[in-house]
Amino acid sequence: MADPFEVRMRFTSQLQHLNASITSSQKAAHYALRYKDMDEDLHSCILEQLERNSMNNRANIMYFIEHLCDMAQREHHLEYIRMIQRDILRVVDAVAPEDGSGAANVKVIRRVLKGLQNKSIFNAPTVTEIEGCLKERDTLPTNTVLSPIPANGHRQRSTSDVENNDSASFKDSTTTTTTAITTHGVSRKSTLVVSGGSGGGGGGTGTMTNGTGISPMVKLDKKQIEQRIEEDRERHKRLRESIWAVNADDDASAEFEKLWVEASDVAEDDHLAAEEDKLERRAVAQALLEEAR
């Protein structure tokens, strides 16, 4: 029998090294099902890594959850599915927190939930309820109002103003701005402390904290941004490769029906394009006849 501590450590390592490839998610899912007698412990690993890792890794774990549920359903080990159903709100809170720091992951959650709904793992009312929460988290970063108290007489100040400060003054300075923050329709006052990063060139590693020391906005570094772009590009490439696929169990006309439903109605542009094609074919045919003579 395998050592539970070793199994947990190896599974944790696999979760930490997940990427956009299907292989990494399938490998971790196979491992979890291989040691399904420790499913409760391995599920706790998933929740821990969701709450501790970077936003990019949390997105990868969210995609992994879809693979795990799919494989668990095929192998008739429904305990993983029950635990995901039980803790789905905790998972959503970790992948896209209410403070808006995970706004980039909202689309990931929606895509995964849609896939799980199509596999009958989640029902429509549950997905709809979660969607309602995600709408607020998706718009929170852009709709958060940061404006000075009117008594000071200064113009409104946003986070973009702070980022666009001159690099020389930003590098070693600390700016404190008292703001009125509107979140979910509730106005409250808060103090944002913007601390300049160290190093030459004003590299922009400043952090923003409120009066309680909690960071309301997480600023990703360049490496994390580039990694996320690459992973999203890989996923979109796989999506384009599989988007044309038709279920093999369907009848022979399934592909035709799919194209017929997706095709747009015939419009004036379609008639013009057909007329141009007809004239082009006639010109080619006429040229071939003249050459034959």
Side-chain angles (χ1 to χ4, degrees):
M1 182 178 176
D3 179 28
F5 179 76
E6 183 181 358
V7 171
R8 183 183 178 91
M9 292 302 296
R10 289 187 177 181
F11 185 62
T12 299
S13 177
Q14 290 183 7
L15 292 177
Q16 291 173 346
H17 292 88
L18 286 173
N19 52 46
S21 69
I22 295 179
T23 306
S24 66
S25 294
Q26 289 179 340
K27 181 180 177 182
H30 277 298
Y31 190 87
L33 289 170
R34 179 183 174 186
Y35 296 101
K36 55 188 176 184
D37 55 321
M38 306 178 193
D39 49 15
E40 189 75 38
D41 196 28
L42 296 182
H43 177 73
S44 68
C45 287
I46 297 173
L47 297 179
E48 287 176 8
Q49 294 306 309
L50 278 173
E51 294 170 350
R52 294 179 181 179
N53 277 291
S54 67
M55 286 299 164
N56 288 348
N57 190 256
R58 296 182 195 189
N60 292 332
I61 295 176
M62 192 69 195
Y63 283 114
F64 156 75
I65 288 175
E66 182 179 8
H67 285 283
L68 176 61
C69 291
D70 188 28
M71 293 177 64
Q73 192 175 46
R74 290 202 304 266
E75 297 192 15
H76 306 291
H77 183 73
L78 303 182
E79 272 309 306
Y80 280 117
I81 295 176
R82 292 192 188 100
M83 288 185 287
I84 293 296
Q85 291 172 337
R86 180 192 68 198
D87 297 326
I88 186 60
L89 293 179
R90 184 176 173 184
V91 170
V92 170
D93 286 340
V95 178
E98 291 186 48
D99 61 4
S101 58
N105 289 341
V106 170
K107 290 183 179 179
V108 174
I109 297 175
R110 286 175 176 154
R111 192 174 294 123
V112 171
L113 287 177
K114 185 173 180 62
L116 294 176
Q117 181 183 353
N118 293 337
K119 296 178 177 69
S120 301
I121 293 173
F122 283 106
N123 54 34
T126 301
V127 174
T128 303
E129 182 180 353
I130 298 174
E131 281 281 353
C133 300
L134 292 176
K135 286 180 182 178
E136 297 179 353
R137 302 182 190 192
D138 196 12
T139 57
L140 182 59
T142 54
N143 287 352
T144 299
V145 179
L146 299 176
S147 58
I149 296 176
N152 62 18
H154 295 297
R155 66 179 181 85
Q156 290 188 342
R157 185 181 183 85
S158 65
T159 55
S160 60
D161 293 326
V162 176
E163 294 178 9
N164 293 329
N165 277 344
D166 182 75
S167 60
S169 61
F170 175 78
K171 180 174 62 174
D172 297 311
S173 64
T174 299
T175 304
T176 302
T177 306
T178 303
T179 60
I181 301 180
T182 304
T183 307
H184 304 303
V186 180
S187 297
R188 57 187 175 84
K189 292 182 181 179
S190 178
T191 301
L192 294 183
V193 181
V194 183
S195 302
S198 60
T205 57
T207 58
M208 303 183 71
T209 60
N210 56 24
T212 61
I214 300 174
S215 175
M217 203 167 291
V218 177
K219 189 173 182 179
L220 298 175
D221 59 30
K222 185 178 179 181
K223 184 178 179 180
Q224 287 180 312
I225 294 173
E226 291 175 349
Q227 177 188 354
R228 183 58 177 267
I229 292 173
E230 280 299 320
E231 290 178 346
D232 287 346
R233 184 182 292 120
E234 180 68 23
R235 291 190 181 97
H236 292 158
K237 184 170 67 175
R238 288 204 312 270
L239 182 63
R240 288 195 300 270
E241 290 173 353
S242 60
I243 199 170
W244 54 269
V246 178
N247 193 344
D249 297 333
D250 295 338
D251 55 32
S253 63
E255 187 172 3
F256 171 78
E257 293 293 338
K258 182 174 182 290
L259 292 172
W260 181 261
V261 170
E262 293 178 353
S264 59
D265 296 334
V266 178
E268 185 178 354
D269 292 342
D270 297 308
H271 291 291
L272 292 175
E275 187 69 23
E276 292 174 358
D277 289 341
K278 182 180 74 173
L279 295 176
E280 186 176 347
R281 287 195 299 271
R282 285 184 178 178
V284 172
Q286 187 67 27
L288 291 175
L289 286 174
E290 290 179 358
E291 287 181 3
R293 293 174 184 172

